[in-house]
Amino acid sequence: MAVLYPSQEWCDAWKVAINGSERVAETGTKWGVGWNGSWVFEVLPGSGLEETHYVYLEPEPGTGKCKDSRELKDPSEVEAGFLCTGDYGAFKEVVKGEKDFIEGVVKGIFTLKGDMSKVMRNAKFIRAVADSISSFEASYLGE
Amino acid sequence: MYGFMGKVLRVNLSSGTISEEPLPEEDARMLLGGSGLATKYLIEEVPPGIDPLGPENKLIYMTGPLTGTTSPSSGRFSAVAKSPLTGFWGEANSGGKWGRDLKQAGYDGIILEGKADAPVVLVIDDGTARLQDAASLWGKNVFETTSALKEDLGKKFNVSCIGIAGENLVRYAAIMNDEHRALGRCGLGAVMGSKNLKAIAASGSQKIEIADKEAFKEATRAASDLVNESLLKMTLEVYGTVMVIDMVNVKGGLPTRNWQTGVCSYTDDINGPAINESILTGRRACFACPIACGRETQIESGPYKAKGEGPEYESVGVFGPMCDVNDLEPITHASIICNDYGLDTISTGSTIAFAMECFEKGLLTAEQAGGIELHFGDAAGMVDMVHRIANREGLGDLLAEGTKRVSEKLGQGSERFAMHVKGLELACYDCRATKITGLGFATANRGGDHVTAYVQGPTFLDIPFLIVEESTIEDVTVENPAEAKVVKDMEDALTTFDALGACKFMGMALMAEEVVPMIASATGWDMDVAEFRTAGERIYNLARAFNVREGASRADDTLPKRLLEEPLPEGPAEGLVVDLEPLLDAYYEFRGWDKATGKPTAEKLKELGLDYVVERIGAT
Ligand code: SF4
């Protein structure tokens, strides 16, 4: 059954998808070891989304497994290592599997803040996590 | 000598004599090789004040200790000479496979001096070298010259040559190798042409001896793994260097219409995905490169029919937004014919864009230009002008002199928007949008160059260079003098890649701690990171010393007036200009150079073991 994006149900489903992905497990062995590898995704309004949503993702250091995935009311609730910002429309395309997340970063559609050297060195893990987003069915707020 | 072949070839083109000399290992360790070592020959052997296109100039090719080895992206080599475009240190670096082939032919480098009476080719065949007549090749372009030489000498020979632009002494002519790889910047192709040297063909099967094979294997495997895992590979391999065009545009710093604005409305038509979907036929890697950022492209029919390699980002930038051409076909065609003529695409496209603005402002007229007019967006006129520049026909003869000389000739305030530093046309990053990038352009030893410091990595692209300890720029829209240290550190660190014979892109993915073991195990030197960093600083100061000797001072470390005084009119960087002076003050301080003159101090030169240049530049 399709889960609504963005929502807590969607975050739960994403956690299951990440933890079921062999690619994530294979590529995540260095992520977050000795540093903060958690993310906040800032989903900006537009395309039917009325207010900014924040999705928190906390991978377990060195395993790639997802420890926590949830909606935040305010990003200050957590201390994340990375912040990724983009329009709802653009995030939706990634969730639908229509846009490659890395291509979105390269084209400046998503902006990343955090220690980019970690992103530079763990690109395969990031791609695997990003690809897991579109591996389950979703429906969309505002559609 | 490990990591090196231990020999340099000296070719006196005036007398036709060829000799071999040992590569001085002590100098190699101090300057690593490549452009570092070549610069020592240049400063010691080329007298001050000479005409760069005269026989007293020397063209020095040099590989590094990693060139031709199994370390990642190690097909690279450098050439230096006094630049006919800038009058200062002329340096260019190229990839492909030619550097490996020179080394396997038995030589680390070649010193070319004098001038041949008639066109010649230098043939280096597995430890022997000879000059042969090139009358039949003179007047031919790069692709034809390359295939003619391969037919004549055998396919195993690889060719570094000039096209018609170099023969015609276009001041920004390039030397091409592997057909599409360029010693692009600073007009070294004109230096080669001035010597009546058409080409160097190299082939060989000699082994590069490695000091500690096991340690080298381990160090190169670790480095290759890191590169293979990296975002660098993931993006460059798929989209090529053009991947950056959107990131630069998003920040409002994509030079458009000769830097009149930093916002371009049609990047979707000319970016990496657009190339992939329309004209890409394959990907091409330099020797031992796991990335393969090179593009093989083809336009099958129509007026812009062409087949070759490219365009990479800078070529798209100058023939696209700079000339306001929104169509990949003429952009690609212009880029490929530049490769065939042996022209630096950045200087060519920039000079054409400058001429377009001069026409639009009425500073150049059709009457003056033999009936031709150039306007922004005129794709056919742009392509036609590339032909005219290479052949020095009509207006092309004037534009072949480069933006600085054209603006000096035209006057009437055109100097304000003549987009060069020290005579070298700027690469496509508007530093009004990311201020510290301007410091990199202003201080680069070879002029308005982007790969000397590559500070657009952390500014425009939000990508750090791991080769330096710190490359974070907090707010790119603000001049922060403390961040001048990032420029200094990146200049020093990236200089080492041109000396080692490796690609600067590796500096994004590898830390010094991962590069040094490759050098140490290849050469047998017990090098540590501190020695590696000092070598970079030493090379940088040596090149600066050459410039100072040729008259460079703080006044030359500047930017075009447009960037200093004319605010960007729109976009995220609207209203911004560069306040350069505070950044320069801080930069000189970090460098240990005299703030008033921009000259390295005697103390700094001695600290770096460059005592031999103290007197040459009157350092105090
Ligand atoms: S990254 Fe590109 S330019 Fe550098 S060595 Fe590889 S293919 Fe050549």
Side-chain angles (χ1 to χ4, degrees):
Chain A
M1 200 184 77
V3 285
L4 186 69
Y5 174 78
S7 69
Q8 184 55 48
E9 291 68 41
W10 184 87
C11 292
D12 294 339
W14 191 20
K15 182 175 178 176
V16 172
I18 290 172
N19 289 342
S21 163
E22 270 177 38
R23 263 176 66 219
V24 169
E26 273 165 22
T27 55
T29 55
K30 291 181 194 151
W31 187 262
V33 180
W35 42 276
N36 184 348
S38 62
W39 292 75
V40 167
F41 296 90
E42 185 180 31
V43 186
L44 300 173
S47 311
L49 188 74
E50 279 170 10
E51 54 188 36
T52 303
H53 278 243
Y54 299 96
V55 171
Y56 177 63
L57 177 73
E58 187 181 341
E60 199 176 80
T63 70
K65 296 282 180 211
C66 178
K67 201 168 156 193
D68 191 4
S69 169
R70 63 188 146 104
E71 275 227 285
L72 303 173
K73 285 217 164 47
D74 193 293
S76 63
E77 289 169 36
V78 293
E79 217 171 280
F82 297 87
L83 173 69
C84 173
T85 305
D87 292 340
Y88 175 53
F91 273 115
K92 217 163 58 170
E93 284 184 86
V94 174
V95 175
K96 286 181 176 175
E98 291 168 358
K99 186 188 290 296
D100 176 50
F101 177 70
I102 299 281
E103 185 183 323
V105 172
V106 166
K107 290 182 79 177
I109 291 166
F110 301 113
T111 56
L112 297 186
K113 287 215 171 83
D115 184 347
M116 289 299 289
S117 66
K118 304 294 191 289
V119 175
M120 172 61 77
R121 293 208 150 181
N122 292 278
K124 286 190 175 169
F125 171 66
I126 291 168
R127 167 151 280 162
V129 172
D131 287 352
S132 73
I133 289 178
S134 58
S135 66
F136 55 96
E137 214 184 318
S139 61
Y140 300 91
L141 257 182
E143 272 190 7
Chain B
M1 200 176 166
Y2 294 110
F4 295 88
M5 308 313 289
K7 280 188 294 187
V8 173
L9 201 59
R10 187 178 289 274
V11 181
N12 188 306
L13 293 157
S14 303
S15 62
T17 52
I18 298 177
S19 56
E20 281 178 8
E21 47 195 71
L23 185 89
E25 182 157 11
E26 201 182 315
D27 288 344
R29 181 154 182 174
M30 294 283 275
L31 299 161
L32 301 177
S35 60
L37 195 53
T39 302
K40 181 159 195 257
Y41 283 106
L42 188 76
I43 202 165
E44 291 192 324
E45 297 191 9
V46 171
I50 55 123
D51 172 7
L53 295 176
E56 284 174 301
N57 200 4
K58 297 196 182 189
L59 177 61
I60 304 162
Y61 278 68
M62 197 66 69
T63 60
L66 296 183
T67 308
T69 70
T70 52
S71 73
S73 310
S74 57
R76 304 199 69 99
F77 66 101
S78 293
V80 304
K82 181 174 176 181
S83 164
L85 188 63
T86 67
F88 296 128
W89 184 65
E91 188 252 6
N93 182 275
S94 183
K97 299 182 173 66
W98 193 86
R100 172 205 64 183
D101 293 328
L102 173 64
K103 224 165 146 180
Q104 289 185 347
Y107 301 98
D108 295 299
I110 314 165
I111 301 167
L112 297 149
E113 50 196 30
K115 178 185 179 179
D117 291 337
V120 289
V121 172
L122 174 63
V123 180
I124 307 173
D125 188 357
D126 221 353
T128 64
R130 65 179 190 273
L131 289 167
Q132 70 179 44
D133 178 75
S136 63
L137 297 174
W138 206 253
K140 288 191 180 2
N141 271 330
V142 169
F143 305 160
E144 213 182 333
T145 300
T146 303
S147 41
L149 279 170
K150 278 176 181 279
E151 196 154 304
D152 178 26
L153 300 167
K155 284 216 174 346
K156 61 182 185 169
F157 277 85
N158 200 352
V159 176
S160 166
C161 68
I162 53 170
I164 287 172
E167 294 176 11
N168 287 336
L169 309 183
V170 175
R171 284 187 188 270
Y172 42 89
I175 304 172
M176 307 299 296
N177 60 278
D178 297 81
E179 292 191 328
H180 287 279
R181 292 284 161 173
L183 289 163
R185 307 236 65 193
C186 298
L188 301 189
V191 177
M192 192 156 166
S194 76
K195 297 188 173 306
N196 267 334
L197 179 63
K198 180 68 182 175
I200 306 173
S203 165
S205 53
Q206 301 189 22
K207 238 174 114 194
I208 302 162
E209 295 296 342
I210 298 295
D212 183 340
K213 289 193 187 75
E214 268 313 303
F216 185 69
K217 202 168 149 194
E218 179 51 35
T220 54
R221 193 197 49 75
S224 298
D225 284 352
L226 288 165
V227 174
N228 275 317
E229 288 284 318
S230 70
L231 184 68
L232 181 73
K233 176 175 166 71
M234 193 174 277
T235 49
L236 273 180
E237 184 180 44
V238 177
Y239 303 112
T241 56
V242 190
M243 73 171 192
V244 307
I245 198 165
D246 293 293
M247 294 163 117
V248 177
N249 197 38
V250 157
K251 289 214 162 70
L254 181 61
T256 301
R257 298 170 71 89
N258 194 38
W259 303 68
Q260 292 185 74
T261 173
V263 177
C264 171
S265 60
Y266 47 79
T267 53
D268 272 349
D269 300 331
I270 57 174
N271 62 12
I275 288 179
N276 290 3
E277 282 156 26
S278 57
I279 56 172
L280 189 76
T281 55
R283 295 180 168 85
R284 180 69 71 95
C286 299
F287 174 71
C289 182
I291 291 178
C293 77
R295 313 284 88 182
E296 289 175 343
T297 49
Q298 182 169 12
I299 296 157
E300 282 176 6
S301 58
Y304 302 118
K305 188 174 170 192
K307 190 176 177 200
E309 284 184 42
E312 42 73 61
Y313 168 67
E314 297 299 336
S315 307
V316 171
V318 291
F319 292 123
M322 280 273 280
C323 291
D324 209 8
V325 169
N326 62 1
D327 181 350
L328 265 180
E329 293 202 352
I331 291 170
T332 304
H333 185 91
S335 168
I336 290 174
I337 61 172
C338 277
N339 289 351
D340 199 18
Y341 277 123
L343 280 169
D344 174 29
T345 56
I346 301 178
S347 290
T348 306
S350 296
T351 306
I352 293 173
F354 170 70
M356 285 174 167
E357 187 168 353
C358 288
F359 273 107
E360 298 218 334
K361 287 191 157 57
L363 309 181
L364 249 177
T365 61
E367 262 166 43
Q368 284 171 297
I372 290 174
E373 276 194 47
L374 273 173
H375 292 286
F376 287 115
D378 175 6
M382 175 184 81
V383 168
D384 175 59
M385 194 47 62
V386 176
H387 292 292
R388 287 173 191 271
I389 288 170
N391 288 291
R392 280 189 172 271
E393 268 172 34
L395 178 61
D397 189 33
L398 175 63
L399 301 192
E401 293 293 292
T403 304
K404 176 173 181 272
R405 284 178 176 78
V406 178
S407 72
E408 285 167 357
K409 181 135 198 244
L410 292 179
Q412 307 168 78
S414 63
E415 301 87 346
R416 291 184 65 79
F417 56 88
M419 306 307 289
H420 68 88
V421 171
K422 300 184 180 80
L424 188 75
E425 287 76 10
L426 294 170
C428 296
Y429 301 92
D430 194 322
C431 50
R432 287 171 290 187
T434 67
K435 306 303 186 71
I436 202 80
T437 314
L439 182 65
F441 280 148
T443 58
N445 279 320
R446 65 179 185 177
D449 174 50
H450 61 302
V451 293
T452 300
Y454 223 110
V455 74
Q456 66 274 19
T459 57
F460 275 108
L461 318 181
D462 295 319
I463 293 175
F465 268 77
L466 303 185
I467 195 70
V468 291
E469 278 167 336
E470 183 55 79
S471 62
T472 309
I473 303 295
E474 285 302 331
D475 181 350
V476 296
T477 62
V478 170
E479 292 87 349
N480 178 357
E483 290 172 345
K485 184 162 187 307
V486 173
V487 172
K488 183 236 172 230
D489 288 349
M490 289 186 70
E491 287 171 343
D492 292 346
L494 292 177
T495 292
T496 62
F497 285 92
D498 289 343
L500 294 169
C503 182
K504 283 182 174 177
F505 283 134
M506 296 305 107
M508 284 187 180
L510 299 176
M511 292 193 272
E513 289 76 3
E514 289 142 2
V515 173
V516 169
M518 293 194 286
I519 310 169
S521 54
T523 59
W525 301 334
D526 57 343
M527 178 175 272
D528 59 16
V529 168
E531 183 181 344
F532 169 74
R533 294 208 189 284
T534 303
E537 187 176 9
R538 184 179 296 121
I539 299 165
Y540 205 84
N541 275 264
L542 188 62
R544 178 71 178 192
F546 181 86
N547 282 355
V548 169
R549 195 194 74 173
E550 298 301 317
S553 69
R554 178 173 177 139
D556 296 289
D557 293 343
T558 189
L559 293 169
K561 285 263 187 304
R562 171 162 279 167
L563 302 179
L564 298 171
E565 295 173 3
E566 205 176 288
L568 274 165
E570 59 183 328
E574 183 180 343
L576 299 182
V577 293
V578 184
D579 184 11
L580 185 65
E581 296 308 314
L583 295 176
L584 263 184
D585 281 342
Y587 172 85
Y588 293 139
E589 201 142 307
F590 288 123
R591 278 240 168 261
W593 295 354
D594 181 75
K595 268 196 210 173
T597 61
K599 215 186 247 191
T601 59
E603 190 190 347
K604 174 51 78 178
L605 293 171
K606 285 178 183 164
E607 176 196 315
L608 294 169
L610 295 173
D611 307 54
Y612 55 94
V613 294
V614 171
E615 245 178 68
R616 280 193 169 91
I617 65 165
T620 51

